[in-house]
Structure formats: C-alpha cells, structure tokens
Coordinates of all heavy atoms in Angstrom, one line a residue:
M290 N 57.4 75.3 78.4 CA 58.0 74.1 77.9 C 58.3 74.2 76.4 O 57.4 74.7 75.7 CB 57.0 72.9 78.1 CG 57.3 71.6 77.4 SD 58.6 70.6 78.2 CE 57.9 70.3 79.8
V291 N 59.5 74.0 76.0 CA 59.8 74.0 74.5 C 59.9 72.5 74.0 O 60.7 71.7 74.7 CB 61.1 74.8 74.4 CG1 61.6 74.8 73.0 CG2 61.0 76.2 74.9
S292 N 59.3 72.3 72.9 CA 59.4 71.0 72.2 C 60.1 71.1 71.0 O 59.9 72.1 70.2 CB 58.0 70.4 72.1 OG 57.4 70.1 73.3
A293 N 60.9 70.1 70.6 CA 61.6 70.1 69.3 C 61.7 68.7 68.8 O 61.6 67.7 69.6 CB 62.9 70.7 69.4
V294 N 61.8 68.5 67.5 CA 61.9 67.3 66.9 C 63.3 67.4 66.1 O 63.5 68.4 65.4 CB 60.8 67.0 65.8 CG1 61.1 65.8 65.0 CG2 59.5 67.0 66.5
V295 N 64.2 66.5 66.4 CA 65.5 66.4 65.7 C 65.6 65.3 64.8 O 65.4 64.1 65.3 CB 66.6 66.6 66.8 CG1 68.0 66.6 66.1 CG2 66.5 67.7 67.7
L296 N 65.9 65.5 63.6 CA 66.0 64.5 62.5 C 67.5 64.2 62.5 O 68.4 65.1 62.2 CB 65.5 65.0 61.2 CG 64.0 65.5 61.3 CD1 63.6 66.1 59.9 CD2 63.0 64.5 61.6
L297 N 67.9 62.9 62.5 CA 69.3 62.6 62.5 C 69.7 61.6 61.4 O 69.0 60.6 61.2 CB 69.6 62.1 63.8 CG 69.4 62.9 65.1 CD1 69.2 62.2 66.3 CD2 70.5 63.9 65.2
K298 N 70.8 61.9 60.8 CA 71.4 60.9 59.9 C 72.7 60.4 60.6 O 73.5 61.2 61.3 CB 72.0 61.6 58.6 CG 70.7 61.9 57.8 CD 71.2 62.6 56.4 CE 70.0 63.0 55.6 NZ 70.4 63.6 54.3
C299 N 72.9 59.1 60.7 CA 73.9 58.4 61.5 C 74.8 57.6 60.6 O 74.4 57.1 59.5 CB 73.3 57.6 62.5 SG 72.2 58.4 63.6
K300 N 76.0 57.3 61.1 CA 76.9 56.3 60.4 C 76.1 55.0 60.5 O 75.5 54.6 61.5 CB 78.1 56.1 61.1 CG 79.1 57.3 60.9 CD 80.4 57.1 61.7 CE 81.2 58.4 61.6 NZ 82.4 58.2 62.4
R301 N 76.0 54.2 59.4 CA 75.2 53.1 59.1 C 75.4 52.0 60.2 O 74.4 51.5 60.8 CB 75.4 52.5 57.8 CG 74.4 51.5 57.4 CD 74.6 51.0 56.0 NE 74.5 52.1 55.1 CZ 73.4 52.4 54.3 NH1 72.4 51.7 54.3 NH2 73.5 53.4 53.5
N302 N 76.5 51.8 60.7 CA 76.8 50.7 61.6 C 76.6 51.2 63.1 O 76.9 50.5 64.0 CB 78.2 50.2 61.5 CG 79.3 51.2 61.7 OD1 79.1 52.4 61.5 ND2 80.5 50.7 62.0
M303 N 76.2 52.5 63.2 CA 76.2 53.1 64.7 C 74.7 53.6 65.0 O 74.5 54.1 66.1 CB 77.1 54.2 64.8 CG 78.6 53.8 64.7 SD 79.7 55.1 65.0 CE 79.5 55.2 66.7
I304 N 73.7 53.2 64.1 CA 72.4 53.8 64.5 C 71.9 53.3 65.8 O 71.4 54.1 66.5 CB 71.4 53.3 63.3 CG1 71.9 54.0 61.9 CG2 70.0 53.7 63.6 CD1 71.1 53.4 60.8
N305 N 71.9 52.0 66.1 CA 71.4 51.6 67.4 C 72.2 52.1 68.6 O 71.6 52.5 69.6 CB 71.4 50.1 67.5 CG 70.4 49.4 66.5 OD1 69.4 50.0 66.1 ND2 70.6 48.2 66.2
A306 N 73.5 52.2 68.5 CA 74.3 52.8 69.6 C 74.1 54.3 69.8 O 73.8 54.7 70.9 CB 75.8 52.7 69.3
V307 N 73.8 55.1 68.7 CA 73.4 56.4 68.8 C 72.0 56.6 69.5 O 71.9 57.3 70.4 CB 73.4 57.1 67.4 CG1 72.8 58.5 67.5 CG2 74.8 57.2 66.9
A308 N 71.1 55.7 69.1 CA 69.8 55.8 69.6 C 69.8 55.5 71.1 O 69.1 56.2 71.9 CB 68.8 54.8 68.9
E309 N 70.5 54.5 71.5 CA 70.6 54.2 73.0 C 71.2 55.3 73.8 O 70.8 55.6 74.9 CB 71.4 52.8 73.1 CG 70.5 51.7 72.6 CD 71.3 50.4 72.7 OE1 72.4 50.3 73.3 OE2 70.9 49.4 72.0
T310 N 72.2 55.9 73.2 CA 73.0 57.0 73.9 C 72.0 58.2 74.0 O 71.9 58.7 75.1 CB 74.3 57.4 73.1 OG1 75.1 56.3 73.1 CG2 74.9 58.6 73.9
L311 N 71.3 58.5 73.0 CA 70.5 59.7 73.0 C 69.3 59.5 74.0 O 68.9 60.4 74.7 CB 69.8 60.0 71.6 CG 70.9 60.5 70.5 CD1 70.2 60.6 69.2 CD2 71.5 61.8 71.0
A312 N 68.7 58.3 74.0 CA 67.6 57.9 74.9 C 68.0 58.1 76.4 O 67.0 58.3 77.2 CB 67.1 56.5 74.6
G313 N 69.2 58.1 76.7 CA 69.7 58.2 78.0 C 70.0 59.6 78.5 O 70.4 59.9 79.6
I314 N 69.9 60.6 77.6 CA 70.1 62.0 77.9 C 68.9 62.7 78.3 O 67.8 62.6 77.8 CB 70.7 62.7 76.6 CG1 72.0 62.1 76.2 CG2 70.8 64.2 76.9 CD1 72.5 62.7 74.9
D315 N 69.0 63.4 79.5 CA 67.9 64.2 80.1 C 67.4 65.2 79.0 O 68.3 66.0 78.4 CB 68.3 65.0 81.3 CG 68.4 64.0 82.5 OD1 67.8 62.9 82.5 OD2 69.2 64.3 83.5
G316 N 66.2 65.4 78.8 CA 65.5 66.3 77.9 C 65.1 65.6 76.6 O 64.3 66.2 75.8
I317 N 65.6 64.3 76.3 CA 65.2 63.7 75.1 C 64.2 62.6 75.7 O 64.5 61.8 76.4 CB 66.4 63.0 74.4 CG1 67.4 64.1 74.1 CG2 65.9 62.2 73.3 CD1 68.6 63.5 73.4
S318 N 62.9 62.8 75.2 CA 61.9 62.0 75.8 C 61.6 60.7 75.0 O 61.4 59.7 75.6 CB 60.5 62.7 75.9 OG 60.1 63.2 74.6
E319 N 61.9 60.7 73.6 CA 61.8 59.5 72.7 C 62.8 59.7 71.6 O 63.2 60.7 71.2 CB 60.4 59.4 72.2 CG 59.2 59.2 73.1 CD 58.5 60.4 73.4 OE1 58.7 61.5 72.7 OE2 57.7 60.5 74.4
V320 N 63.2 58.5 71.2 CA 64.1 58.3 70.1 C 63.5 57.3 69.2 O 63.2 56.1 69.7 CB 65.5 58.0 70.4 CG1 66.4 57.8 69.1 CG2 66.1 59.0 71.3
F321 N 63.2 57.5 67.9 CA 62.5 56.6 67.0 C 63.5 56.3 65.9 O 64.2 57.1 65.3 CB 61.3 57.2 66.4 CG 60.2 57.5 67.4 CD1 60.0 58.8 67.9 CD2 59.3 56.6 67.7 CE1 59.1 59.2 68.7 CE2 58.3 56.9 68.6 CZ 58.2 58.2 69.2
S322 N 63.6 55.0 65.6 CA 64.3 54.6 64.4 C 63.3 54.7 63.3 O 62.2 54.1 63.4 CB 64.7 53.1 64.6 OG 65.2 52.6 63.4
V323 N 63.6 55.3 62.1 CA 62.7 55.6 61.0 C 63.3 55.1 59.7 O 64.4 55.0 59.6 CB 62.3 57.1 61.0 CG1 61.6 57.4 62.2 CG2 63.4 58.0 60.9
A324 N 62.4 55.0 58.7 CA 62.8 54.8 57.4 C 62.7 56.1 56.6 O 61.9 56.9 56.9 CB 61.8 53.7 56.7
G325 N 63.5 56.2 55.6 CA 63.5 57.3 54.7 C 64.8 58.1 54.7 O 65.8 57.5 54.9
A326 N 64.8 59.4 54.6 CA 66.0 60.2 54.4 C 66.7 60.3 55.8 O 68.0 60.5 55.7 CB 65.6 61.6 54.0
Y327 N 66.1 60.0 56.9 CA 66.8 60.1 58.2 C 66.8 58.7 58.8 O 66.0 57.9 58.5 CB 66.1 61.1 59.0 CG 66.3 62.5 58.4 CD1 65.3 63.0 57.7 CD2 67.4 63.3 58.7 CE1 65.5 64.3 57.2 CE2 67.6 64.6 58.2 CZ 66.5 65.1 57.5 OH 66.7 66.4 56.9
D328 N 67.7 58.6 59.8 CA 67.9 57.2 60.5 C 67.1 57.3 61.8 O 66.6 56.3 62.2 CB 69.3 57.0 60.7 CG 70.1 56.9 59.4 OD1 69.7 56.1 58.5 OD2 71.2 57.6 59.3
L329 N 67.1 58.4 62.5 CA 66.5 58.5 63.8 C 65.7 59.9 63.9 O 66.1 60.9 63.3 CB 67.7 58.5 64.9 CG 68.4 57.3 65.1 CD1 69.6 57.5 66.0 CD2 67.6 56.1 65.5
V330 N 64.8 59.9 64.7 CA 64.0 61.0 65.1 C 64.0 61.2 66.6 O 63.6 60.2 67.3 CB 62.7 61.0 64.6 CG1 61.8 62.3 65.1 CG2 62.6 61.0 63.1
A331 N 64.5 62.2 67.2 CA 64.5 62.5 68.6 C 63.5 63.5 69.0 O 63.4 64.5 68.3 CB 65.9 62.8 69.1
I332 N 62.7 63.3 70.0 CA 61.8 64.2 70.5 C 62.4 64.8 71.8 O 62.6 64.1 72.8 CB 60.4 63.6 70.8 CG1 59.9 62.8 69.6 CG2 59.4 64.6 71.3 CD1 59.6 63.5 68.4
L333 N 62.5 66.1 71.8 CA 63.0 66.9 73.0 C 61.9 67.7 73.6 O 61.1 68.3 72.9 CB 64.1 67.8 72.5 CG 65.5 67.2 72.0 CD1 65.4 66.1 70.9 CD2 66.5 68.3 71.7
R334 N 62.0 67.7 74.9 CA 61.1 68.5 75.7 C 61.9 69.1 76.9 O 62.3 68.4 77.7 CB 59.9 67.7 76.2 CG 59.0 67.3 75.1 CD 57.7 66.6 75.7 NE 56.9 66.3 74.6 CZ 56.9 65.1 73.9 NH1 57.7 64.1 74.3 NH2 56.1 64.8 73.0
V335 N 62.1 70.4 76.9 CA 62.8 71.1 77.8 C 62.1 72.4 78.3 O 61.1 72.8 77.7 CB 64.3 71.5 77.3 CG1 65.1 70.2 77.0 CG2 64.2 72.3 76.0
R336 N 62.7 73.1 79.3 CA 61.9 74.2 79.9 C 62.1 75.5 79.1 O 61.3 76.4 79.1 CB 62.4 74.5 81.3 CG 63.8 74.9 81.5 CD 64.1 75.2 83.0 NE 65.4 75.7 83.1 CZ 66.5 75.0 83.3 NH1 66.3 73.6 83.4 NH2 67.7 75.5 83.4
D337 N 63.2 75.8 78.3 CA 63.3 77.0 77.6 C 64.3 76.9 76.4 O 64.9 75.8 76.2 CB 63.8 78.1 78.5 CG 65.1 77.8 79.3 OD1 66.0 77.3 78.6 OD2 65.2 78.1 80.5
N338 N 64.3 77.9 75.6 CA 65.2 77.9 74.4 C 66.7 77.7 74.7 O 67.4 77.1 74.0 CB 65.0 79.1 73.5 CG 63.6 79.1 72.8 OD1 63.2 78.0 72.5 ND2 63.0 80.3 72.6
N339 N 67.2 78.3 75.8 CA 68.6 78.2 76.1 C 68.9 76.8 76.5 O 70.0 76.2 76.1 CB 69.0 79.1 77.2 CG 69.0 80.5 76.9 OD1 69.3 80.8 75.7 ND2 68.7 81.4 77.8
T340 N 68.0 76.1 77.2 CA 68.3 74.7 77.5 C 68.2 73.9 76.3 O 69.0 72.9 76.1 CB 67.2 74.2 78.5 OG1 67.2 75.1 79.6 CG2 67.5 72.7 78.9
L341 N 67.3 74.2 75.3 CA 67.2 73.5 74.1 C 68.6 73.6 73.3 O 69.1 72.6 72.8 CB 66.1 73.9 73.2 CG 66.0 73.3 71.9 CD1 65.7 71.9 72.0 CD2 64.8 73.9 71.1
A342 N 69.1 74.8 73.2 CA 70.3 75.1 72.5 C 71.5 74.3 73.1 O 72.2 73.8 72.3 CB 70.6 76.6 72.5
D343 N 71.5 74.3 74.4 CA 72.6 73.5 75.1 C 72.5 72.0 74.8 O 73.4 71.3 74.5 CB 72.6 73.8 76.6 CG 73.1 75.1 76.9 OD1 73.8 75.8 76.0 OD2 72.8 75.6 78.1
L344 N 71.3 71.5 74.9 CA 71.0 70.1 74.7 C 71.4 69.7 73.3 O 72.2 68.6 73.2 CB 69.6 69.8 75.0 CG 69.1 68.4 74.7 CD1 69.9 67.3 75.5 CD2 67.6 68.2 74.9
V345 N 71.0 70.5 72.3 CA 71.3 70.1 70.9 C 72.9 70.2 70.7 O 73.4 69.3 70.2 CB 70.5 70.9 69.9 CG1 71.0 70.6 68.4 CG2 69.0 70.6 70.1
T346 N 73.4 71.3 70.9 CA 74.8 71.6 70.5 C 75.8 71.0 71.4 O 76.8 70.5 71.0 CB 75.1 73.1 70.4 OG1 74.8 73.7 71.5 CG2 74.1 73.7 69.3
S347 N 75.6 71.0 72.8 CA 76.6 70.5 73.7 C 76.5 69.1 74.1 O 77.5 68.4 74.5 CB 76.5 71.4 75.0 OG 76.8 72.7 74.7
E348 N 75.3 68.5 73.9 CA 75.1 67.1 74.2 C 74.8 66.2 73.0 O 75.6 65.3 72.7 CB 74.0 67.0 75.3 CG 74.5 67.6 76.5 CD 73.5 67.3 77.7 OE1 73.3 66.1 77.9 OE2 72.9 68.2 78.2
M349 N 73.7 66.4 72.3 CA 73.3 65.6 71.2 C 74.4 65.5 70.1 O 74.8 64.3 69.7 CB 72.0 66.1 70.6 CG 70.7 65.8 71.4 SD 69.4 66.2 70.5 CE 69.3 64.9 69.3
L350 N 74.8 66.6 69.6 CA 75.6 66.6 68.5 C 77.1 66.3 68.8 O 77.9 66.1 67.9 CB 75.5 67.9 67.7 CG 74.2 68.2 67.2 CD1 74.1 69.5 66.3 CD2 73.5 67.1 66.4
Q351 N 77.4 66.0 70.1 CA 78.6 65.4 70.5 C 78.7 63.9 70.5 O 79.7 63.3 70.6 CB 79.0 66.0 71.9 CG 79.1 67.5 72.0 CD 80.0 68.1 70.9 OE1 81.1 67.8 70.7 NE2 79.4 69.1 70.1
V352 N 77.5 63.3 70.3 CA 77.4 61.8 70.3 C 78.1 61.3 69.0 O 77.8 61.7 67.9 CB 76.0 61.4 70.4 CG1 75.9 59.9 70.1 CG2 75.3 61.8 71.7
D353 N 79.1 60.4 69.2 CA 79.8 59.8 68.1 C 78.8 59.1 67.2 O 78.0 58.3 67.7 CB 80.9 58.9 68.6 CG 81.8 58.5 67.5 OD1 82.1 59.2 66.5 OD2 82.3 57.3 67.6
G354 N 78.9 59.2 65.9 CA 78.1 58.5 65.0 C 77.0 59.3 64.3 O 76.5 58.9 63.2
I355 N 76.8 60.5 64.8 CA 75.8 61.4 64.1 C 76.5 62.1 63.0 O 77.6 62.7 63.3 CB 75.2 62.4 65.1 CG1 74.4 61.7 66.1 CG2 74.4 63.4 64.4 CD1 73.8 62.5 67.3
V356 N 76.0 62.1 61.8 CA 76.6 62.6 60.6 C 75.9 64.0 60.3 O 76.7 65.0 59.9 CB 76.4 61.7 59.4 CG1 77.0 62.3 58.2 CG2 77.2 60.4 59.6
D357 N 74.6 64.1 60.5 CA 74.0 65.3 60.1 C 72.7 65.4 60.9 O 72.1 64.4 61.4 CB 73.6 65.3 58.6 CG 73.2 66.6 58.0 OD1 73.4 67.7 58.7 OD2 72.5 66.6 57.1
S358 N 72.2 66.7 61.1 CA 71.0 66.7 61.8 C 70.1 67.9 61.3 O 70.6 68.9 60.7 CB 71.2 67.0 63.4 OG 71.8 68.3 63.5
E359 N 68.9 67.9 61.6 CA 67.9 69.0 61.3 C 66.9 69.1 62.5 O 66.4 68.2 62.9 CB 67.2 68.8 60.0 CG 66.2 70.0 59.7 CD 65.7 69.8 58.3 OE1 66.0 68.9 57.6 OE2 64.7 70.6 58.0
T360 N 66.9 70.3 63.2 CA 66.1 70.6 64.4 C 64.9 71.4 63.9 O 65.0 72.4 63.3 CB 67.0 71.3 65.4 OG1 68.2 70.6 65.8 CG2 66.1 71.5 66.7
L361 N 63.8 70.8 64.4 CA 62.5 71.6 64.1 C 62.0 71.9 65.5 O 61.7 71.1 66.2 CB 61.5 70.6 63.4 CG 62.0 70.0 62.2 CD1 61.1 68.9 61.6 CD2 62.3 71.0 61.0
I362 N 61.7 73.3 65.7 CA 61.2 73.7 67.0 C 59.7 73.8 66.8 O 59.2 74.4 65.9 CB 61.8 75.1 67.4 CG1 63.2 75.0 67.6 CG2 61.1 75.6 68.6 CD1 63.9 76.3 67.9
A363 N 59.0 73.2 67.8 CA 57.5 73.1 67.7 C 56.9 74.5 68.3 O 57.3 74.9 69.3 CB 57.0 72.0 68.5
F364 N 55.9 74.9 67.6 CA 55.3 76.2 67.9 C 54.1 75.8 68.8 O 53.8 76.4 69.8 CB 54.7 77.0 66.9 CG 55.8 77.7 66.1 CD1 55.9 77.5 64.7 CD2 56.9 78.4 66.6 CE1 56.8 78.0 63.9 CE2 57.9 78.9 65.9 CZ 57.9 78.7 64.5
K365 N 53.3 74.9 68.5 CA 52.1 74.5 69.1 C 51.9 73.0 69.0 O 52.3 72.3 68.0 CB 50.9 75.2 68.5 CG 49.6 75.0 69.2 CD 48.4 75.8 68.7 CE 47.2 75.7 69.5 NZ 46.1 76.5 69.0
V366 N 51.5 72.4 70.1 CA 51.4 70.9 70.3 C 49.8 70.6 70.1 O 49.0 71.1 70.7 CB 51.9 70.4 71.5 CG1 51.6 68.8 71.6 CG2 53.3 70.7 71.7
F367 N 49.5 69.6 69.1 CA 48.2 69.1 69.0 C 48.4 67.6 69.3 O 49.0 66.9 68.7 CB 47.7 69.2 67.5 CG 47.6 70.7 67.1 CD1 48.6 71.3 66.5 CD2 46.4 71.3 67.3 CE1 48.5 72.7 66.0 CE2 46.2 72.7 66.8 CZ 47.2 73.3 66.2
S368 N 47.6 67.2 70.3 CA 47.6 65.8 70.7 C 46.2 65.3 70.5 O 45.2 66.1 70.4 CB 48.0 65.7 72.2 OG 47.0 66.1 73.1
R369 N 46.0 64.0 70.4 CA 44.7 63.4 70.3 C 43.8 63.8 71.3 O 42.6 64.2 71.1 CB 44.9 61.9 70.2 CG 43.6 61.2 70.1 CD 43.8 59.6 70.1 NE 42.6 58.9 69.8 CZ 42.3 58.3 68.8 NH1 43.2 58.1 67.9 NH2 41.1 57.7 68.6
H370 N 44.3 63.9 72.6 CA 43.5 64.4 73.8 C 43.0 65.7 73.5 O 41.9 66.1 73.8 CB 44.3 64.2 75.0 CG 43.7 64.8 76.3 ND1 42.4 64.3 76.7 CD2 44.0 65.8 77.0 CE1 42.1 65.1 77.8 NE2 43.1 65.9 78.0
D371 N 43.9 66.7 73.1 CA 43.5 68.0 72.9 C 42.5 68.2 71.8 O 41.5 68.9 71.9 CB 44.7 68.9 72.5 CG 45.7 69.0 73.6 OD1 45.3 68.8 74.7 OD2 46.9 69.4 73.3
L372 N 42.6 67.4 70.7 CA 41.7 67.4 69.6 C 40.3 66.9 70.1 O 39.2 67.5 69.7 CB 42.2 66.7 68.4 CG 43.5 67.4 67.7 CD1 43.9 66.4 66.6 CD2 43.1 68.7 67.2
E373 N 40.3 65.8 70.8 CA 39.0 65.3 71.3 C 38.3 66.2 72.2 O 37.0 66.4 72.1 CB 39.2 64.0 72.0 CG 39.6 62.8 71.0 CD 40.0 61.5 71.8 OE1 40.1 61.6 73.0 OE2 40.2 60.6 71.1
S374 N 39.0 67.0 73.0 CA 38.4 68.0 73.9 C 37.8 69.1 73.1 O 36.7 69.6 73.5 CB 39.5 68.6 74.8 OG 40.0 67.6 75.7
M375 N 38.5 69.6 72.0 CA 37.9 70.6 71.2 C 36.6 70.3 70.6 O 35.7 71.0 70.6 CB 39.0 71.0 70.1 CG 40.1 71.8 70.6 SD 41.2 72.3 69.3 CE 40.6 71.8 67.7
F376 N 36.5 69.1 70.1 CA 35.3 68.6 69.4 C 34.1 68.3 70.4 O 32.9 68.4 70.0 CB 35.5 67.4 68.5 CG 36.3 67.7 67.4 CD1 37.6 67.2 67.2 CD2 35.8 68.5 66.3 CE1 38.3 67.5 66.1 CE2 36.5 68.8 65.3 CZ 37.8 68.2 65.1
E377 N 34.4 68.3 71.7 CA 33.4 68.1 72.7 C 32.8 69.3 73.2 O 31.7 69.3 73.7 CB 33.9 67.3 73.9 CG 34.3 65.9 73.6 CD 35.0 65.1 74.7 OE1 35.1 65.7 75.8 OE2 35.4 64.0 74.5
I378 N 33.4 70.4 72.9 CA 33.0 71.7 73.4 C 31.6 72.0 72.7 O 31.5 72.0 71.5 CB 34.0 72.9 73.2 CG1 35.2 72.6 73.9 CG2 33.3 74.2 73.5 CD1 36.3 73.5 73.7
G379 N 30.6 72.4 73.5 CA 29.4 72.8 73.0 C 28.4 71.7 72.4 O 27.3 71.9 72.0
F380 N 28.8 70.5 72.6 CA 28.0 69.3 72.2 C 27.6 68.5 73.4 O 28.3 68.3 74.3 CB 28.7 68.4 71.2 CG 29.1 69.0 70.0 CD1 30.4 69.4 69.7 CD2 28.2 69.1 69.0 CE1 30.8 70.0 68.5 CE2 28.4 69.7 67.7 CZ 29.7 70.1 67.5
E381 N 26.3 68.1 73.4 CA 25.8 67.4 74.5 C 25.6 66.0 74.1 O 25.2 65.7 72.9 CB 24.4 68.0 75.0 CG 24.6 69.3 75.7 CD 23.2 69.8 76.1 OE1 22.4 68.9 76.4 OE2 23.1 71.0 76.2
N382 N 25.9 65.0 74.9 CA 25.7 63.6 74.6 C 24.2 63.4 74.6 O 23.5 63.6 75.6 CB 26.4 62.6 75.5 CG 27.9 62.8 75.4 OD1 28.3 63.1 74.3 ND2 28.7 62.5 76.4
E383 N 23.6 62.7 73.6 CA 22.3 62.3 73.7 C 22.0 60.9 73.9 O 22.7 60.1 73.6 CB 21.6 62.8 72.3 CG 21.7 64.3 72.1 CD 21.1 64.7 70.7 OE1 20.4 63.9 70.2 OE2 21.4 65.8 70.3

C-alpha cells in the first residue's frame, strides 16, 4: 500500500466543486478543506507507485479548478492505534 498527501491550490470560486469531484475518485480516501497556503488536502491510498502516478497525473490534476499541487509520498504511517500498541509492549497492567 502506498499513501500520499496531495496539497492543492484551487481557483477561489471552485474549491467546493474540486473537493466534491476529488472525493468521488477511487484511491482518494479523504479530502480536507484547510486554511493556510493551500485550499485542499487529499489523502491517497493505492496499491503501488504506478497506480499513484496515474491517479495524480491522469485523474486528479485533470480536475478543472486546480491551479497548483504538491504531492508528498508517505514512507511510514504512524497512527494513534500503532503508537498505543508500541507503548503497551513490555508493560503489565497493575
């Protein structure tokens, strides 16, 4: 499984439409509206790098209203569940 975070700048009047379109694309698990330098953050989860490349270049960046993007590929995932499990190793409940 390959995970990536895509930071997106959109045309101001198209942010909601872009978000709704992206949320309907297979491989995009979440789309967040955010404050700051970017308008949207998309979380991608796909089976391999080739699928990721196709998803970003052939599908996502073809959506009308996206002005700029930055793709961050995740190396390792740390979730709250994973961290809690790590801290439980070797400790007994008293």
Side-chain angles (χ1 to χ4, degrees):
M290 173 77 60
V291 177
S292 298
V294 176
V295 181
L296 309 173
L297 300 158
K298 292 182 181 179
C299 303
K300 292 180 182 175
R301 192 172 303 256
N302 63 337
M303 296 187 71
I304 295 171
N305 289 339
V307 170
E309 290 174 12
T310 300
L311 293 176
I314 297 174
D315 285 339
I317 300 177
S318 59
E319 294 99 15
V320 179
F321 297 95
S322 172
V323 295
Y327 294 92
D328 301 305
L329 298 172
V330 174
I332 308 299
L333 285 58
R334 292 187 177 90
V335 295
R336 69 176 182 271
D337 56 43
N338 285 331
N339 289 333
T340 305
L341 177 63
D343 288 341
L344 175 58
V345 172
T346 59
S347 298
E348 294 188 59
M349 284 188 73
L350 297 184
Q351 301 306 312
V352 173
D353 189 38
I355 295 175
V356 176
D357 194 21
S358 70
E359 183 173 349
T360 302
L361 309 171
I362 298 175
F364 293 128
K365 188 172 183 178
V366 177
F367 295 90
S368 71
R369 180 181 183 113
H370 173 62
D371 292 340
L372 293 174
E373 287 175 355
S374 297
M375 285 182 0
F376 287 112
E377 290 176 5
I378 296 173
F380 294 101
E381 293 181 28
N382 292 335
E383 296 179 20

